[in-house]
Amino acid sequence: MDVHLTTERLVLRRFTTADTDRLVELDGDPEVTRYLTGGRPTPRAQVENTLLPLYFAHYERYGDLGWWAAEERDGGAFLGWFEFRPPDREDPGEVELGYRLRRPAWGRGYATEGARALIDQGFARLGVRRVVAYTMAVNLGSRRVMEKAGLRYVRTFHEDYPEPIPGTELGEVEYALDAADWRPPVPGTGPGYWSA
């Protein structure tokens, strides 16, 4: 297992082809994909032929920036994934934060814990200048995670989607945090992170 980092309760590691079933199951839950596809599942062929190859290509190109499988530190249960990667190939100093967790992991603080650890690592060790995150304006749960992770609301904007889902009429929101505004965690006050 190629571990990227660990927190008090999480292990974030690189994906492998052995994760195909886990990703299909995650994206097969209509509540998990509600604000992404309107609840439509991601086909297995897309996971195998598009998503996993994309994740592997990011590991090759960026090393410590990419998509990370999230597991419970105790017991190893698959929880979902975190994204911490440059959206623009020309500017790896700006990274996008994202997360997608299985329903049993919701409301337990895992999303905030993983997001904070990635942000801290990004600013403290990886030379990240800015972290951005996006979600639908109506996705209040994801917005709370962004705020708890230290990101601040930047703007609401509207996209023109070919197949809009309920809530898109209210727009998307952007949250961000710049390195100059980040404060390192105080030892003993939070989960902390340890690179593997």
Side-chain angles (χ1 to χ4, degrees), residues 35-66:
Y35 297 115
L36 302 163
T37 65
R40 289 186 308 277
T42 303
R44 181 180 195 83
Q46 185 177 348
V47 170
E48 292 175 331
N49 302 323
T50 304
L51 296 181
L52 283 171
L54 176 67
Y55 300 169
F56 302 155
H58 267 73
Y59 301 146
E60 291 300 314
R61 181 172 175 91
Y62 298 109
D64 288 331
L65 299 172

Side-chain angles (χ1 to χ4, degrees), residues 3-9 73 121 125 190-196:
V3 174
H4 176 62
L5 67 86
T6 60
T7 69
E8 184 179 314
R9 300 180 300 158
R73 192 167 172 186
Q121 183 188 57
R125 301 179 65 198
Y193 68 85
W194 302 268
S195 193

Side-chain angles (χ1 to χ4, degrees), residues 27-167:
D27 281 11
D29 183 335
E31 285 301 308
V32 169
T33 59
R34 175 180 174 193
Y35 297 115
L36 302 163
T37 65
R40 289 186 308 277
T42 303
R44 181 180 195 83
Q46 185 177 348
V47 170
E48 292 175 331
N49 302 323
T50 304
L51 296 181
L52 283 171
L54 176 67
Y55 300 169
F56 302 155
H58 267 73
Y59 301 146
E60 291 300 314
R61 181 172 175 91
Y62 298 109
D64 288 331
L65 299 172
W67 282 267
W68 309 103
E71 296 178 341
E72 284 183 332
R73 192 167 172 186
D74 294 332
F78 177 74
L79 300 173
W81 56 253
F82 287 86
E83 165 194 13
F84 198 72
R85 54 100 189 170
D88 180 353
R89 292 175 63 133
E90 304 306 316
D91 186 9
E94 178 172 296
V95 299
E96 182 174 343
L97 171 69
Y99 32 83
R100 187 173 305 170
L101 300 179
R102 297 176 63 235
R103 265 195 280 175
W106 293 2
R108 299 177 63 191
Y110 288 131
T112 301
E113 185 174 325
R116 282 182 180 166
L118 286 166
I119 291 167
D120 292 345
Q121 183 188 57
F123 288 137
R125 301 179 65 198
L126 302 178
V128 170
R129 291 186 327 275
R130 186 169 198 256
V131 176
V132 297
Y134 305 94
T135 192
M136 290 177 64
V138 296
N139 189 348
L140 300 180
S142 188
R143 293 179 73 169
R144 278 193 296 275
V145 169
M146 293 172 189
E147 291 164 359
K148 288 179 184 178
L151 279 69
R152 298 183 186 125
Y153 170 81
V154 174
R155 66 186 175 119
T156 299
F157 60 99
H158 292 81
E159 297 281 343
D160 188 21
Y161 294 105
E163 296 180 38
I165 61 175

